[in-house]
Every structure is written in C-alpha cells, then in structure tokens.
Amino acid sequence: MKAGQLWRKGREMLAPSPDADWDARQLLCDELGIERTQLAMHLFAEVDEAAEAAFLAAVRRRAAGEPLQYIRGRADFGGVTLRVDERVLIPRQDTESLALAALAHLAILHGEESPKQILDLCTGSGAVIIDIAKTCETEDFAYAAADISGDALCLARENARQNGVKVEFWQGDLFAAVPKGRRFDIITCNPPYLSRADMEDLQNEVRREPALALYGGEDGLDFYRRLAREAMEYLRPGGYLILEIGSTQAAAVRQIFSAWNTQVFQDLNGLDRVVAADLYGKGEGGAAWST
Ligand code: GLN
C-alpha cells in the first residue's frame, strides 16, 4: 500500500477520536523513519509489508486507548526528547511551566555564589531536571533528582544519559532520598496531586499511567503538606521551592504554605500551574537569609 493510503486507513481506524489524523500521521512517520513535516514528499511511496504491519499494529494499540507516547516510546518536553513507557507519567506540556519558573528563578540567582544546587523531587522520567540542565548548559549548576520508584529512576537515568546531562539520582520517598546535610538553591517538584474524586474520574488513557504518580491523597494535597513541613531544612538561604499544582489548587496550596512567601504562575492556557515558595525574611532561619 502507498503511504497516503495507509495514512487514510489509520485515520479511519482511529475515528472518531479528535486526534485521529495527528496520531495516524505521527505513527506512520515513525514507521517510515521520517519527520512529520516530510510526509507530503512520501505520500506516493510504496510502504513495504513489514512497515505496514508495524504501523497497523501501532494504530490498533492507539485505538484500544494506549497513549500515543507509550506506543512511540518517546515524548517531547520543552527542548528535550525523553524515553517513556508505563513506568512513568507522560510529561505534560503544562509542566513546561514548572521548568520555566525554575529557570527564571535560577536566572535571578545566577552570578551569586556558585555552584548552584538544583534538586527535582518526584522526577519520574526526569523531564523537568533534564530540560533545566540542558537549557542552562553551565558548569555552575549541579543537578540532582529523586523518586520513590526504582523503575522511574531507571528511565530517568537513561534519559539524562541520552540528553548528555549530568544528574545525580537518588531513590526514596520525597526527602528521605536526599543525603543528610545537602541543601539546594532550587527544589522543583511535580508531586502527585489528584484527589480521590479525580482518580475516579480519570480519562481512560490516564488510567494507563502509574497511579503512584497521580494520586495525592483524599483531597490531592498530601504532598504539599509534607513539602511545607520538610523542605525548609533542605533549602539554602535565599532558596526557592517551586511546585506544580492542579489548576484549582492555588488557594489551598498557598494556605498550606502560609508561613512562606508564595507566588503563583500560570501555564500557557492561563491556568494556575506553579507555586514558588521561599522563606526570605520569615523568622527562624529566614532571618539570617535577609542579611
Ligand atoms: N497533570 C496531571 C493530570 O492531569 C496530574 C499530574 C500530577 O498529579 N502531578 O493527569
């Protein structure tokens, strides 16, 4: 069959999904080993039987509700490409706002005493820390990341290697993973933040992703409570904790961090997505920071 005919067949198999065209095109381009933009030039090319069978198998997986990124085994995030599979949450575009907020805070800190230490908790595929490291391309920053899931860390390590960045990885539950005495200028975290009600209402595709990366307790806020209690002793004076939040959680998270200074940032859709918290000038420990 010719590539153009296969594309149409894939589209028909995926209808009525609104992404039918996009997904069929992407899976076909992967099979042909070309970029999406090159498809027009290959529409009349005969596709060999093996590639055709592989394409149709991929389309069938997609039609059965498997996320496109798991089928492709890769996801694009910010300026990097990452390997992903069922072991990790698929990096969302919304989360690029978390990396961006961290970069903006790093830009403020840069030039002061070096090297700057950056830690990413609940790192999953490593998307946030790897994107930050790749964007900064400076020897002045040192990167570390942690996750409770050994499976996720396996992928994150590989992603760091593939993207040519140096990140230290630790396994453990939130700060339990971090060696005692280590302090950071920036701590980023995209914790699980879906509530029990959210979990019951998940899209079919999201059900394929690890619940461990999604469920944040009854009201979805458990990890923010722990972070508010524990983060202080892992931040350097003047440091920032930068967190992704659900779009309706800003007020509740600010309340949890009422002893901190907080700032809320929006994502590309204009929804509340990031809270940055610091202790500058805030009493114990913080007092020393304000000098
Ligand atoms: N943004 C994700 C979703 O809506 C949730 C990610 C998370 O809990 N950190 O599926």
Side-chain angles (χ1 to χ4, degrees):
M1 222 185 261
K2 295 201 189 321
Q5 293 169 307
L6 265 182
W7 177 18
R8 191 176 67 188
K9 184 163 179 182
R11 231 167 30 223
E12 285 167 2
M13 287 165 70
L14 295 175
S17 157
D19 302 322
D21 175 56
W22 174 275
D23 292 353
R25 194 188 317 192
Q26 184 63 70
L27 292 171
L28 182 60
C29 289
D30 287 350
E31 257 353 291
L32 300 176
I34 59 173
E35 295 294 321
R36 296 177 57 87
T37 49
Q38 297 175 310
L39 184 57
M41 291 179 286
H42 292 78
L43 286 177
F44 300 99
E46 199 62 39
V47 179
D48 69 52
E49 271 177 33
E52 177 175 327
F55 168 69
L56 293 175
V59 171
R60 265 181 233 112
R61 285 170 69 183
R62 186 72 193 99
E66 196 171 337
L68 183 70
Q69 293 89 336
Y70 285 166
I71 299 169
R72 302 185 70 210
R74 51 177 277 183
D76 298 315
F77 178 83
V80 299
T81 298
L82 304 153
R83 232 193 97 183
V84 295
D85 59 32
E86 297 76 7
R87 290 175 287 178
V88 292
L89 189 82
I90 296 165
R92 312 281 202 266
Q93 201 178 23
D94 295 341
T95 304
E96 291 178 15
S97 304
L98 175 66
L100 180 64
L103 286 164
H105 283 80
L106 272 170
I108 299 171
L109 296 172
H110 195 200
E112 297 172 15
E113 181 204 339
S114 289
K116 294 292 169 224
Q117 305 282 334
I118 300 140
L119 170 67
D120 182 41
L121 293 176
C122 308
T123 197
S125 64
V128 170
I129 196 78
I130 293 169
D131 186 50
I132 293 173
K134 194 136 183 194
T135 306
C136 290
E137 275 191 343
T138 163
E139 297 293 305
D140 289 345
F141 300 156
Y143 307 97
D147 204 287
I148 194 169
S149 157
D151 277 350
L153 284 176
C154 235
L155 262 182
R157 276 201 184 91
E158 186 181 327
N159 282 327
R161 202 166 42 239
Q162 296 249 330
N163 282 285
V165 296
K166 226 174 94 190
V167 180
E168 220 178 324
F169 288 102
W170 302 311
Q171 185 179 0
D173 187 9
L174 225 53
F175 286 108
V178 180
K180 280 276 160 267
R182 291 286 297 262
R183 286 184 180 256
F184 303 88
D185 300 280
I186 300 274
I187 300 174
T188 54
C189 182
N190 173 16
Y193 56 67
L194 300 189
S195 66
R196 182 179 301 277
D198 293 333
M199 293 299 287
E200 278 161 16
D201 208 26
L202 283 187
Q203 285 176 358
N204 271 340
E205 295 185 356
V206 182
R207 287 183 202 281
R208 307 268 185 143
E209 298 184 88
L212 187 66
L214 293 167
Y215 182 52
E218 191 62 35
D219 64 358
L221 298 168
D222 281 4
F223 287 84
Y224 303 108
R225 294 191 187 93
R226 289 181 58 191
L227 287 161
R229 279 197 305 269
E230 299 172 27
M232 203 177 305
E233 58 180 285
Y234 294 91
L235 279 173
R236 281 181 167 175
Y240 294 91
L241 179 62
I242 305 182
L243 308 172
E244 177 165 328
I245 58 164
S247 60
T248 59
Q249 293 173 327
V253 172
R254 289 184 87 160
Q255 178 63 34
I256 290 169
F257 281 87
S258 56
W260 302 54
N261 306 305
T262 53
Q263 250 184 303
V264 179
F265 298 86
Q266 280 79 40
D267 63 21
L268 290 173
N269 296 312
L271 300 172
D272 290 341
R273 187 58 63 193
V274 174
V275 169
D278 71 88
L279 285 160
Y280 189 83
K282 292 272 182 178
E284 209 183 313
W289 300 10
S290 55
T291 57

